[in-house]
Amino acid sequence: MRRYGVWFALALLTPYLVFFGGGWFGIYVSQIRIVSLILLVAVFGAWAIAAWRNPGWRPRSALTPAIVVILLAMAASTLVSRY
């Protein structure tokens, strides 16, 4: 059942990412950018909990530190933005 929940969440978040979060609105409208970052934190938080409980979910990529740095930079730029 959890597997279907994960696929359902991916099916909902992918169109959001393509049409809003990664489009003009997601870049230039600060409210949508904040929502995008909150969704991102929620998804990665859920994944982190799953990875903590089940070692099979843990990352096995050399790019993981770079991805984390990029996400932290996006969060920091949103927090200090005047908009």
Side-chain angles (χ1 to χ4, degrees), residues 13 20 27 35 38 41 47 61 83:
L13 291 173
F20 293 103
I27 296 170
V35 169
I38 290 170
V41 167
W47 170 77
S61 172
Y83 297 109

Side-chain angles (χ1 to χ4, degrees), residues 1-58:
M1 191 65 170
R2 281 185 278 171
R3 181 179 215 146
Y4 292 117
V6 169
W7 283 110
F8 182 72
L10 283 173
L12 289 178
L13 291 173
T14 299
Y16 173 81
L17 177 66
V18 171
F19 296 113
F20 293 103
W24 187 90
F25 290 112
I27 296 170
Y28 295 109
V29 178
S30 60
Q31 291 85 2
I32 294 177
R33 186 171 177 193
I34 290 169
V35 169
S36 296
L37 288 174
I38 290 170
L39 286 172
L40 193 80
V41 167
V43 168
F44 277 115
W47 170 77
I49 291 170
W52 180 60
R53 291 182 179 174
N54 184 359
W57 282 72
R58 293 183 185 155

